[in-house]
Amino acid sequence: MAKLIIDGGNHISGTIKVSGSKNASLPIMTASLLTDDELLLNNVPNLSDVITMQELLFSLGTEIYFDKDLEVLNLRAKNSHNFTADYEIVRKMRASIIVLGPTLVKRRIAKVALPGGCSIGSRPIDLHLKGLEAMGANIYIDNGYVFAEAKNGLQGAAIKFPFVSVGATQNIILAATLASGRTTISNAACEPEIIDLCVCLRKMGAKIIGEGTKELSITGVSELSGATHTIMADRIELGTFMLAPAIAGGEIYLEGAGLGQEINYIKKLEEMGLNFYKKDGTIRVVRRDDKIKAVDVSTSPFPGFPTDLQPQIMSVMGLAEGTSTITENVFENRFMHAPELNRMGASISIEGRKAIISGVKQYRGVPVMASDLRAAASLVLAGLAAEGKTIIDGLHHLDRGYQNIESKLAKCGVNIYRAD
Ligand code: EPZ
């Protein structure tokens, strides 16, 4: 199994081009199932999750051409008779469940393997299924698969989510674009990736109002056409790299992203001691003082602090001056990186959904194991600052969400390489 070796201690100094957003690419790719025309996507990151989604769409009869160098993805869903998303593919990526809505509304039948849980939580899909049932789908679960039918198509419905779910909001939006009548979603997710999906669907002819707010309205149309869309920058990759100078010192120049309202976490990063300068499409990030200040973080759905940056900021807080707390309100088990950070010398204690982090002087480079995607990113950040070699195992997690992270960081003066 490949491992990432980081010989820490160097200051960060260099430029990184941020890739397109994984969490915007995945739902937008499934929009290709809603039309017989070509969907042309630019700024698509070459990540294992994106490749897995391509495998899944191919198995559902979609023609695919992906130019990894140009980051351009062409999708054209043939009106295939296949409506089954096999477990062999779904087990690799939980987000596969968002093919359910578009497949069901277009082909009036869908069979999707139940996505397992993962290390950060049980990840149920009850909100997805209840929403589609409200739109007239007959759904039952058997032998590890969700079976869904809508012989007369789906009808618009008034759907109220008891709590925010990004995936469930995406599945219902996708299904509602071709349902008959109007669908309203209350307590919808407001994440920037939802907005990007709606912008792409509108280019395809969908009638959507309210994206980015908690109240969405989608009026179904008879068909959607193809479109060309450029995927938004990955705000979580951006935030991860912003934290590199925070933990290792120095400065980083980030290209390919802006400081729009989707970068809502920047206030917290300024509070901890980072300065940001924007010039001609490049963001310069530099740590103000020698030590980062302790800050308290509480994750919540957008516009709250993103849960997907929580493991990364915990690494930084581990070396801050003072004691910080992190409260994880979105997932029930998203502190798996804490014991690994403690192995590196951090002083983190967990009490239910709260982590208490007492800043220490130094991390030690030791072998560590990544448990999930963002935990892997937090260990990379810790390795940048650690004394000695950090050896990170479990790279398949990292490769799901970060394209060429070692070459990006090596260009910034980090002594990092991948060893088989
Ligand atoms: C999306 O996951 C992201 N994944 C996650 O990013 C992100 O952490 C999450 O949204 C929250 O922002 C993609 O976009 C591919 P949810 P999703 O449905 O849609 C519970 C990363 O690191 N829930 O908003 O699966 C659920 O268990 C990944 O890039 C139900 O109980 O998240 C969780 O506790 C990790 N029933 C909470 O809601 C449901 O039917 C939020 O989950 C659906 C969700």
Side-chain angles (χ1 to χ4, degrees):
M1 291 287 271
K3 291 184 172 59
L4 214 51
I5 321 287
I6 305 172
D7 204 346
N10 297 358
H11 274 197
I12 295 291
S13 167
T15 301
I16 284 181
K17 158 93 172 48
V18 172
S19 302
S21 164
K22 165 178 87 82
N23 290 352
S25 298
L26 298 176
I28 288 171
M29 287 166 72
T30 70
S32 61
L33 294 165
L34 296 169
T35 175
D36 300 332
D37 297 344
E38 180 186 72
L39 184 59
L40 177 64
L41 303 176
N42 295 307
N43 201 32
V44 177
N46 179 21
L47 300 167
S48 59
D49 270 6
V50 168
I51 301 302
T52 301
M53 183 57 87
Q54 290 177 33
E55 283 171 27
L56 182 56
L57 293 172
F58 180 74
S59 75
L60 289 167
T62 305
E63 285 176 354
I64 293 168
Y65 176 71
F66 185 34
D67 185 323
K68 294 179 182 176
D69 299 327
L70 295 177
E71 299 176 328
V72 174
L73 176 60
N74 295 56
L75 300 164
R76 185 191 288 271
K78 298 312 241 178
N79 215 344
S80 156
H81 299 294
N82 188 8
F83 52 82
T84 302
D86 278 329
Y87 176 66
E88 278 317 303
I89 302 178
V90 171
R91 71 184 176 82
K92 291 194 277 185
M93 183 183 63
R94 293 192 62 270
S96 305
I97 192 62
I98 46 179
V99 302
L100 177 60
T103 305
L104 178 60
V105 78
K106 190 81 166 68
R107 298 177 190 177
R108 302 197 165 188
I109 186 168
K111 178 184 168 192
V112 179
L114 276 172
C118 67
S119 63
I120 64 177
S122 59
R123 313 292 294 273
I125 57 167
D126 50 320
L127 270 63
H128 299 241
L129 304 186
K130 284 194 191 104
L132 293 169
E133 282 173 332
M135 297 173 74
N138 290 316
I139 293 180
Y140 66 94
I141 291 175
D142 183 37
N143 207 16
Y145 279 81
V146 175
F147 291 82
E149 267 193 308
K151 288 199 172 70
N152 305 316
L154 291 178
Q155 284 76 44
I159 293 167
K160 289 183 176 23
F161 284 135
F163 50 83
V164 171
S165 161
V166 171
T169 302
Q170 290 165 343
N171 239 331
I172 300 305
I173 291 171
L174 288 154
T177 58
L178 294 177
S180 57
R182 194 160 78 101
T183 298
T184 55
I185 304 175
S186 298
N187 209 10
C190 306
E191 269 65 10
E193 294 76 20
I194 298 276
I195 296 176
D196 211 27
L197 171 64
C198 291
V199 168
C200 179
L201 287 168
R202 194 174 289 120
K203 289 178 184 174
M204 298 168 70
K207 293 193 181 335
I208 302 172
I209 299 169
E211 68 274 11
T213 73
K214 286 190 164 300
E215 298 298 325
L216 276 174
S217 168
I218 306 105
T219 303
V221 294
S222 54
E223 63 175 18
L224 291 180
S225 60
T228 297
H229 183 72
T230 297
I231 301 289
M232 64 178 273
D234 193 313
R235 64 188 172 104
I236 303 301
E237 185 193 23
L238 177 72
T240 304
F241 288 130
M242 284 177 170
L243 290 170
I247 199 166
E251 62 179 0
I252 196 166
Y253 290 81
L254 297 167
E255 296 174 339
L259 289 179
Q261 58 170 357
E262 75 279 7
I263 315 301
N264 62 322
Y265 49 76
I266 200 162
K267 289 185 278 302
K268 193 54 80 174
L269 272 52
E270 281 170 337
E271 187 190 327
M272 73 164 61
L274 285 179
N275 281 348
F276 298 87
Y277 308 91
K278 182 117 172 51
K279 190 161 175 278
D280 308 332
T282 298
I283 303 166
R284 174 173 170 255
V285 188
V286 59
R287 187 174 71 188
R288 263 196 302 276
D289 312 314
D290 275 354
K291 286 291 268 185
I292 281 291
K293 291 183 185 51
V295 294
D296 295 330
V297 169
S298 180
T299 69
S300 61
F302 196 88
F305 189 89
T307 174
D308 290 349
L309 265 186
Q310 178 264 103
Q312 297 91 313
I313 206 161
M314 185 184 285
S315 284
V316 180
M317 289 300 102
L319 292 176
E321 204 156 41
T323 299
S324 320
T325 61
I326 294 181
T327 308
E328 173 54 60
N329 296 305
V330 178
F331 289 105
E332 70 266 26
N333 187 37
R334 197 171 201 172
F335 287 142
M336 304 277 279
H337 42 287
E340 296 303 301
L341 291 170
N342 283 342
R343 281 172 40 71
M344 296 180 72
S347 171
I348 303 167
S349 59
I350 306 294
E351 290 165 18
R353 287 195 173 239
K354 181 176 275 199
I356 297 101
I357 305 114
S358 312
V360 296
K361 288 228 171 312
Q362 183 71 48
Y363 285 149
R364 288 183 313 279
V366 296
V368 286
M369 172 63 81
S371 52
D372 59 84
L373 165 54
R374 305 303 173 182
S378 82
L379 295 173
V380 170
L381 287 172
L384 301 184
E387 198 174 318
K389 281 187 171 34
T390 303
I391 302 162
I392 304 174
D393 203 347
L395 294 194
H396 59 286
H397 293 297
L398 189 64
D399 294 338
R400 296 186 50 195
Y402 292 90
Q403 182 176 327
N404 306 329
I405 193 165
E406 62 266 27
S407 56
K408 288 180 176 177
L409 286 172
K411 283 188 196 131
C412 291
V414 176
N415 193 339
I416 180 172
Y417 62 96
R418 185 177 291 235
D420 284 320

